[in-house]
Amino acid sequence: MMCYTVNNSTLSDRPGPGPTGGPRSKTRRVSAAGVLLCLTAWLISTPALAHEPHERILDTATRYMAEQARAAHGEAFEVTVSPGRLDPRLRLRACEQGLEPFTSPGARLAGNSTVGIRCLGPVTWSLYVPVHVAVHGEVVVLGHPLPRGMQLEAQHLRLERHDVGALPGGYLNDLELARDMVLRRALPAGTVLTPQMVEPPRLVRRGQRVTLLAEGSAVNVRVEGEALADGSRGERVQVRNLSSRRVVEGVVLSHGVVGVRM
């Protein structure tokens, strides 16, 4: 854009300094008006900096969180992500090199959470977008009130549809895995079972006489032993060999049976 300057003398009625309010003062007023007009025209003709649309930021965060939540909870669960609201006063430079979503370590993948969005350039910036993740699916629920120490059977359990984002203690969603578990405390009917409420059954008890099964490439040896600790299937426990009085460590295989390597 071109701007033209005005020579003071061309707007003066006579050369030389004039009295206050005379032609020279008029010249100054006209010159100032010209500069203001030129500046205004320049501002109008200069393109404004482009800003990143809020809709694109929210859409990026929503899609990313939906992918993460589906991967974490599995195909059996229905995932719905609702983005929060960004401050309408927020103005961020348009991101020409693409938006990169991310989550912080330990971020929740159900309920209220956040998704990080960073701009890769040319001007870098980052922010966190609030989101709500609804995850609906079937979870294991107690069908009857049961006492502490009760070993769960199929008739004690049923599946119910819940939003697992509203279950801060977690959940179980496999009836087969829940069956045979033991309750850590008494629970009423309708309780959604969490991993903290159950434990594997103890197949070996401290002080119990057990069978030590030593397996080799050619022979299996069975000797009697005494368990020195409680143990569930797959756990390692120490056992005293009652013949040699040696203490060995083995893996609980089944009720009263501990396997050791020869």
Side-chain angles (χ1 to χ4, degrees):
M1 191 195 88
M2 297 184 63
C3 288
Y4 298 94
T5 58
V6 181
N7 189 307
N8 288 349
S9 62
T10 63
L11 296 179
S12 299
D13 291 341
R14 63 172 181 259
T20 302
R24 178 62 57 86
S25 125
K26 178 180 178 183
T27 300
R28 285 197 297 269
R29 287 198 299 271
V30 173
S31 298
V35 171
L36 180 59
L37 179 61
C38 182
L39 178 61
T40 303
W42 178 80
L43 290 174
I44 293 175
S45 64
T46 301
L49 293 176
H51 295 109
E52 187 66 31
H54 285 193
E55 293 77 9
R56 184 173 176 230
I57 296 173
L58 296 175
D59 183 65
T60 301
T62 301
R63 290 175 181 273
Y64 176 78
M65 179 54 80
E67 292 173 0
Q68 297 298 305
R70 289 191 185 100
H73 297 283
E75 295 298 326
F77 288 86
E78 178 186 347
V79 175
T80 304
V81 180
S82 303
R85 176 176 174 271
L86 296 179
D87 190 329
R89 297 169 297 179
L90 181 65
R91 294 289 183 269
L92 297 169
R93 285 286 303 274
C95 191
E96 299 175 8
Q97 297 182 18
L99 298 176
E100 181 181 61
F102 63 93
T103 51
S104 301
R108 297 190 64 197
L109 298 179
N112 293 324
S113 188
T114 57
V115 177
I117 301 292
R118 65 169 62 97
C119 175
L120 301 179
V123 176
T124 60
W125 48 260
S126 64
L127 78 162
Y128 282 89
V129 176
V131 295
H132 179 78
V133 187
V135 183
H136 289 89
E138 291 187 328
V139 297
V140 180
V141 174
L142 279 185
H144 310 277
L146 295 176
R148 177 176 180 265
M150 185 72 178
Q151 187 165 345
L152 297 174
E153 299 178 8
Q155 66 265 26
H156 299 146
L157 307 170
R158 69 172 187 265
L159 292 174
E160 273 187 8
R161 188 174 176 82
H162 282 266
D163 179 1
V164 301
L167 305 174
Y171 58 90
L172 301 175
N173 67 327
D174 190 325
L175 287 173
E176 289 299 318
L177 292 179
R179 195 173 61 185
D180 295 333
M181 300 292 274
V182 176
L183 293 182
R184 293 179 181 269
R185 64 177 187 272
L187 295 171
T191 300
V192 175
L193 288 180
T194 71
Q196 295 76 27
M197 295 176 179
V198 296
E199 62 183 356
R202 299 295 183 183
L203 302 181
V204 168
R205 296 286 183 180
R206 181 178 181 181
Q208 175 186 349
R209 295 291 179 93
V210 298
T211 298
L212 272 173
L213 177 60
E215 296 182 333
S217 58
V219 295
N220 293 337
V221 179
R222 294 173 181 265
V223 296
E224 190 176 27
E226 178 187 356
L228 302 182
D230 294 349
S232 301
R233 186 187 303 274
E235 290 185 338
R236 302 190 70 84
V237 295
Q238 289 189 327
V239 179
R240 178 178 288 110
N241 186 325
L242 295 182
S243 298
S244 66
R245 309 306 296 177
R246 287 182 55 203
V247 175
V248 296
E249 186 178 72
V251 177
V252 178
L253 301 178
S254 60
H255 282 283
V257 180
V258 177
V260 295
R261 297 176 70 98
M262 292 185 66

